[in-house]
Amino acid sequence: MSDLFNSSLRELSAALAAKKVSAVELASLFLDRIDRLNPGLNAFIALDRDKTLAQARAADEVRKIGAGVTAISPLCGIPLAHKDIFCTKGWRTSCGSKILENFVSPYDAHVVEKLAAAGMVTLGKLNMDEFAMGSSNETSYFGPVQNPWDVSRVPGGSSGGSAAAIAARLAPAATGTDTGGSIRQPAALCGLTGLKPTYGAVSRYGMIAFASSLDQAGPMAKSAEDCALLLNAMAGFDPRDSTSLERSTEDYARDLEQPLAGLRIGLPKEFFGEGMDADVRAAVEAALAEYRKLGATAIEVALPNSGLSVPAYYVIAPAEASSNLSRFDGVRYGYRAPEYDDLNDMYSKSRAQGFGAEVKRRILIGTYVLSHGYYDAYYLKAQKIRRLIAADFVEAFKHCDVIMGPTSPSVAFAFGAKSADPVQMYLSDIYTISTNLAGLPGMSLPCGFGNNNMPVGLQIIGNWFGEAKMLNVAHQYQKATDWHLRMPSLAGAAQ
Amino acid sequence: MNRETQWEVVIGLETHAQLQTKSKIFSGSSIAFGAEPNMQANAVDIALPGVLPVLNREAVVCAIKFGLAVGATIAPRSVFARKNYFYPDLPKGYQISQFEIPVVQGGGLSTRVGTGDTATEKFVHLTRAHLEEDAGKSLHEDFHGRTGIDLNRAGTPLLEIVTEPDMRSSAEAVAYARALHSLVQWIGICDGNMQEGSFRCDANVSVRRPGEPLGTRREIKNLNSFRFMQQAIDFEVQWQINEINEGRPIRQATVLFDPDTGETRAMRSKEDAHDYRYFPDPDLLPLEIRPEWIAEVGAGLPELPQAMQQRLQSEYGLSAYDAAILTGSRAMADFFSVAVGQTGAASAKLVANWVMGELAARLNR
């Protein structure tokens, strides 16, 4: 029991099946750890012990009554936590913003619904950058999240609460969302495994929209195997999301054990140039050496337009966001300014007081690039670049099975190090953004430690619908190494 | 001074026809009229965080029917766009509409202007017709100085039908509006109820001296009866002519018609017009309509009024005028068809006279 806080999902599933532990005991174990450790981390921003335990009791019932009667999901009774971007019935769903500080969702997001249907138990809601706009978790209205590896450093963002919670072993797994790197970058900075699926693989219904054409939900956990199990429960067609892809269900864990002999790894020269810190480079190159030992060969590929990904992204994402966030107007729900003169004043004050600085910055950028006379020069041009970036990947994948590189140019940085300079902050996602623009799946997995003993992430980019291959490639590496098993001392000391 | 000969009136109409689907254009809520406020508004309609639109295929079928009925091109690929503006009865802060690529392109409608033997044929070209969602309603009474919001109507499917500036008088505009009103009911896509707002017109009106380029237009919003349309356009034309004669140039503006005074007055000028920041809605895929779908919808269309007029003339020897009157509404045309089926073709003229005279008179009583 005492070491279950550090177990894999497969181990937890086996313990539950063998009745070595109940879902209620598991949930209590993690809730107690949250009580002890969360005040120093600020990863959870909504907790409800009664709700969590009720869900756990229901899962225990399912395991008891359903045994031998119906197929029980391997995830039944395992706790997880949701990024606060997912609408969760009866839970406050704030999206990290003051404007939704008191919004209790009357419905469940598709992802929440699917994981609950599998019997997973919700531990709480996780902190995040406001409306997922940020790479350090410093833009949350509820205050920054601390990195469990070094609490003076950021956990990454925007799914920083998810990453910190798993790293500190406050939850065995969590949901995240990734618009420009928001799953992969915090996974890298906190020493975790996180996966952004192909655009359309996971329904966006109930996930509060940041940039609709880029947003994608995915799993965050300690290992590729855990991510595969979670993705099995999260993915699938949803008629409520018109961009959800109508494909037959697949077992993302099916290829985990395939050997890697003959694997062709594409290394884009653009990902290995200037801008990457030396410690990150060393860890990534060591990981590539490990892959060669596993039988893979590395091939240089070119992504000539990837240098344009950050500027294209910072036109498209704010444009969509400026429109998506219009519904937060103080009329029907959410924050409304206490005093105002007339309708326009109510809009202005409610939004001025309800949104933080980074969200306002992006609304302004987005409004500008969509304005009459600027649309062609910015928005249309950015969409053209987007197609060029996707075409680069099509060409690259003619020569390789997966693409690898760093997830982030640096290890976790100190609070305040980049918050004064938005462009420096935006460059944190320089290696992750192009996959969102192309709609490709990508993941990050721990591959060593850099300066100040902070984790380094290796990024794997798969072909469209190449999740199973990507997970296979990550899992084989994790069988040969133990970086993903390392735990910050703060997490172990709590025992 | 005879103003009629000095000035040419130029009118284009934009009509919003509410489509007779069971549910809203992007959600499963009912669109039945008259429910208690906000009882027909679900999570999508009130724009809760995280909800997404899903296109109702029935609304597309209505657009295809209309396109076929007016001889338009049905776009094989059209795009939904967001029209961004803030208003309390617009829950998302944007309206989903079609902008650059509408579903129905071109086409036109033949109308008869005037009555009897003096009636003339007028063909009005359509620019486009596109699908969009309606907004909700702001209720300014009964809330003690505050505003109530009813979102039952939010998301109701509309087909916005836009003409070229082809009409040259209020009579032509009304004739076109009546023909369109009849056609949308004929093909079963709109109930035509103008009191409930199922069919409402905006008129773009300008005047010029013959041969000169188009004058600056003003748009009269929300005309919900043919009589008001006639009055509003006549007043507006006279107002514009007077302004120009007084040396004041016309400024582009949106105006409202007040039936009590019979006058139009400006709501807003072009200077404070919105920049709607249209862009393709990333929540919706482009609407693709394959030829097989068009063929399937076409097979279900009734005989259209124009074709029926031709047939009544050739089959029963009726005059063009009689044929036009008999096809003025689907109900009258159906009644005539059944009646003449009972009496035989030989008495068609007799039946026609009876339907147009006796029956119509009694129905009007």
Side-chain angles (χ1 to χ4, degrees), chain B residues 172-193:
Chain B
E172 288 186 7
V174 169
Y176 159 79
R178 283 187 184 279
L180 181 67
H181 185 244
S182 165
L183 179 68
V184 294
Q185 294 175 79
W186 187 283
I187 59 176
I189 64 168
C190 173
D191 68 12
N193 190 325

Side-chain angles (χ1 to χ4, degrees), chain A residues 275-280 406-411 418 427-431:
Chain A
M276 177 173 26
D277 287 355
D279 56 335
V280 172
T407 303
S408 176
S410 71
V411 296
K418 297 186 181 183
L427 288 172
S428 305
D429 296 328
I430 190 162
Y431 303 125

Side-chain angles (χ1 to χ4, degrees), chain A residues 14 57 64 74 99 102 106 114 267 275 292 312 318 383 453 458 488:
Chain A
R57 277 192 293 275
K64 197 165 99 188
I99 213 157
N102 296 311
K114 292 219 25 160
L267 302 178
R292 285 190 198 93
Q383 292 291 10
N453 209 29
L458 173 73

Side-chain angles (χ1 to χ4, degrees), chain B residues 82 204 334:
Chain B
R82 294 184 183 179
N204 281 293
D334 286 349

Side-chain angles (χ1 to χ4, degrees), chain A residues 107 206 323-324 327 332-333 347 372, chain B residues 46-47 49-50 82 84 91 275:
Chain A
Y107 79 105
S323 175
N324 283 333
R327 67 187 58 197
R332 299 167 315 289
Y333 53 79
Y347 285 143
H372 187 72
Chain B
I46 69 173
R82 294 184 183 179
N84 295 284
D275 177 356

Side-chain angles (χ1 to χ4, degrees), chain A residues 5-329:
Chain A
F5 75 94
N6 192 28
S7 298
S8 71
L9 298 193
R10 197 220 284 262
E11 287 161 352
L12 292 177
S13 185
L16 284 160
K19 300 195 169 37
K20 285 182 185 152
V21 69
S22 70
V24 169
E25 287 167 334
L26 262 188
S28 304
L29 169 77
F30 284 103
L31 288 174
D32 292 347
R33 288 182 62 82
I34 293 166
D35 281 349
R36 282 203 306 279
L37 291 175
N38 191 59
L41 294 172
N42 200 25
F44 281 85
I45 51 174
L47 291 161
D48 186 333
R49 186 173 273 265
D50 291 345
K51 255 198 195 68
T52 300
L53 292 179
Q55 222 182 350
R57 277 192 293 275
D60 281 332
E61 281 298 298
V62 169
R63 283 213 178 254
K64 197 165 99 188
I65 297 165
V69 182
T70 53
I72 293 173
S73 163
L75 298 172
C76 184
I78 298 179
L80 94 163
H82 290 298
K83 183 176 182 179
D84 208 26
I85 200 169
F86 292 99
C87 284
T88 314
K89 191 174 179 175
W91 288 82
R92 184 181 73 181
T93 300
S94 74
C95 221
S97 181
K98 178 181 178 180
I99 213 157
L100 288 177
E101 186 178 5
N102 296 311
F103 176 71
V104 176
S105 177
Y107 79 105
D108 275 336
H110 182 79
V111 162
V112 171
E113 203 174 79
K114 292 219 25 160
L115 292 170
M120 295 200 84
V121 176
T122 304
L123 288 170
K125 304 295 294 288
L126 295 164
N127 205 347
M128 55 183 282
D129 279 300
E130 185 179 7
F131 286 102
M133 298 175 187
S135 307
S136 67
N137 228 295
E138 292 170 288
T139 74
S140 170
Y141 171 66
F142 301 95
V145 177
Q146 278 74 35
N147 189 319
W149 292 92
D150 176 349
V151 294
S152 72
R153 291 171 188 272
V154 304
S158 65
S159 309
S162 306
I166 303 166
R169 305 314 192 242
L170 306 187
T175 52
T177 62
D178 192 314
T179 304
S182 281
I183 286 175
R184 291 161 288 162
Q185 186 255 17
L189 270 46
C190 289
L192 301 170
T193 307
L195 186 149
K196 178 203 100 70
T198 306
Y199 184 79
V202 177
S203 168
R204 293 185 295 115
Y205 190 81
M207 187 176 122
I208 299 176
F210 161 15
S212 311
S213 73
L214 301 160
D215 295 343
Q216 189 60 199
M220 298 175 75
K222 296 188 288 287
S223 70
E225 186 184 31
D226 286 0
C227 284
L229 291 174
L230 289 164
L231 188 58
N232 277 346
M234 293 169 76
F237 175 63
D238 176 11
R240 296 172 299 184
D241 174 2
S242 306
T243 62
S244 164
L245 294 160
E246 221 167 337
R247 305 178 84 242
S248 46
T249 52
E250 58 177 301
D251 176 9
Y252 292 102
R254 66 183 185 273
D255 292 333
L256 287 179
E257 300 304 334
Q258 295 295 318
L260 296 188
L263 180 79
R264 298 170 303 162
I265 299 173
L267 302 178
K269 55 177 183 286
E270 295 80 5
F271 284 12
F272 290 88
E274 278 178 34
M276 177 173 26
D277 287 355
D279 56 335
V280 172
R281 182 186 300 272
V284 168
E285 282 179 353
L288 295 172
E290 185 65 38
Y291 271 108
R292 285 190 198 93
K293 276 198 260 170
L294 292 169
T297 52
I299 301 154
E300 188 178 286
V301 294
L303 298 173
N305 292 292
S306 62
L308 298 173
S309 62
V310 170
Y313 176 90
Y314 278 98
V315 169
I316 294 167
E320 294 181 8
S322 71
S323 175
N324 283 333
L325 269 56
S326 293
R327 67 187 58 197
F328 306 110
D329 57 6

